[in-house]
Amino acid sequence: MKQKKLSSEQTREVSPEPEPERNKAPYKAALELELWKELEQEKFMKELDMKAEARMKQITIEWKKKEAEREEEARRQINEYNRLKEKMKLALKDLERRESHVLEEERKVYEYKHFYPTSILIW
């Protein structure tokens, strides 16, 4: 069976051209939904970035505060160390002085015992 070719005028009459997809309501609704979705994603990402930035600022402030506290504690410990070091130096000097005094007294006792025999000592 042979098909008859129709002229362009006849085709228009027979089957009207379909309306482009872009003009149909479902396509428009899908496009609007997709645009809304993209805008919402952008808003969400901006909010997320703002929250992340705010949290980073908060963490930075807390870190600086703790760092200052650690530095202050380190200064206190160093001052305490230096104070105790000086106290130990004074105690060492005092012990050296006492040792010198004890050695001097022992020398005197030794000399006294050797220069004065025990037979002479009568009390």
Side-chain angles (χ1 to χ4, degrees), residues 43-54:
K43 267 180 24 181
F44 174 78
M45 292 306 289
K46 284 180 185 177
E47 287 179 25
L48 192 61
D49 287 343
M50 287 172 45
K51 286 179 182 179
E53 187 176 331

Side-chain angles (χ1 to χ4, degrees), residues 7-47:
S7 68
S8 61
E9 286 178 26
Q10 290 173 338
T11 1
R12 281 189 192 153
E13 288 175 16
V14 173
S15 61
E17 279 188 31
E19 189 178 336
E21 287 292 316
R22 291 183 182 168
N23 294 335
K24 292 185 178 177
Y27 178 82
K28 286 182 179 181
L31 181 62
E32 286 177 19
L33 184 61
E34 198 60 36
L35 291 174
W36 175 84
K37 179 181 162 188
E38 287 177 16
L39 289 174
E40 289 299 309
Q41 284 177 337
E42 286 178 22
K43 267 180 24 181
F44 174 78
M45 292 306 289
K46 284 180 185 177
E47 287 179 25

